[in-house]
Amino acid sequence: MPPRLRIGLTGGIASGKSTVAERFSELGVPVIDADESSRAVVAPGQPGLQAVVARFGTGVLTAQGELDRRALRGLIFADSAKRQELEAILHPLIRADMEQRALHAVGPYLILAIPLLVEGGARARARVDRVLVVDADETQQLQRLVARDAVSPEQARAILAAQASRAGRLSAADDVLVNSGTVSELRQAVDRLHERYLGLAGVNASMN
């Protein structure tokens, strides 16, 4: 039977969402990741990739015919209208892919990892029962983003500016994981939240 309780995991870029999702997965919780679905719908031969190329041209393709994410990112973050056009193409496909994966998930609850959950407004919020925000100081986010993605500080600031504000995410949250310490501390916080979610899903955690 598909899980009854759906938790929407979100947070700003480089806030620690991947670490949180990984720990939930280790605990046996199904994690449906929007990033995985976003890659699936633009794989070579998929209608999503064809639609993106039709709108933005072959300059967003690598020599192997795959989506050049860095080229596309540079294009859309320089132009909010183009970003909205890309979202209009891909978001419905990503939602459909995630829902199909959720149908096959088994367990008391599942995690829907959606980086732009808050930006998606009421429609996105309606897909989940609770919103879990991974919160990090914006200075930490910028440092992690520059180191992780090899972008300039200016590009990193532009990426953060294109997302919901920290205050906006926190105001939408039912649960918050503050990522201001070590990875070990963050994983332990996930363990505690897992116990709570099992309870909310009607499962005796000690028997799980």
Side-chain angles (χ1 to χ4, degrees):
M1 172 182 259
R4 292 168 291 171
L5 182 65
R6 295 159 64 104
I7 308 297
L9 169 62
T10 193
I13 193 167
S15 61
K17 296 185 301 297
S18 295
T19 298
V20 169
E22 179 182 27
R23 182 55 184 158
F24 274 117
S25 183
E26 290 172 356
L27 292 168
V29 180
V31 176
I32 314 299
D33 192 333
D35 287 340
E36 290 183 8
S37 291
S38 72
R39 289 190 289 271
V41 302
V42 293
Q46 292 298 311
L49 182 60
Q50 296 169 11
V52 170
V53 172
R55 171 58 189 88
F56 297 103
T58 56
V60 298
L61 292 176
T62 67
Q64 291 74 37
E66 300 175 344
L67 184 65
D68 186 333
R69 292 180 174 274
R70 177 165 292 192
L72 183 61
R73 184 170 60 191
L75 191 65
I76 64 172
F77 277 111
D79 189 325
S80 61
K82 288 181 179 177
R83 185 175 71 250
Q84 291 170 0
E85 289 182 71
L86 179 68
E87 291 172 354
I89 293 170
L90 295 184
H91 284 189
L93 299 174
I94 294 169
R95 283 194 297 270
D97 187 82
M98 292 182 74
E99 290 302 321
Q100 185 62 35
R101 294 171 188 246
L103 285 176
H104 301 287
V106 177
Y109 74 94
L110 64 78
I111 299 291
L112 292 170
I114 309 173
L116 300 180
L117 176 59
V118 174
E119 290 85 343
R123 182 177 181 182
R125 178 65 176 81
R127 297 170 59 196
V128 300
D129 299 303
R130 298 183 70 83
V131 173
L132 167 59
V133 169
V134 184
D135 181 53
D137 179 80
E138 291 181 357
T139 299
Q140 290 180 311
Q141 286 180 262
L142 286 169
Q143 292 171 344
R144 292 170 184 164
L145 185 56
V146 169
R148 187 190 74 186
D149 291 2
V151 298
S152 69
E154 292 75 19
Q155 288 174 310
R157 280 191 286 271
I159 292 170
L160 257 66
Q163 298 188 331
S165 68
R166 184 182 184 188
R169 281 191 297 272
L170 290 174
S171 68
D174 296 296
D175 307 295
V176 178
L177 286 172
V178 179
N179 184 16
S180 59
T182 65
V183 171
S184 177
E185 288 170 338
L186 182 60
R187 287 167 60 87
Q188 289 171 12
V190 173
D191 291 356
R192 292 191 292 271
L193 201 52
H194 174 59
E195 300 286 323
R196 184 175 181 218
Y197 287 157
L198 288 174
L200 289 174
V203 175
N204 185 335
S206 65
M207 297 175 60
N208 188 58

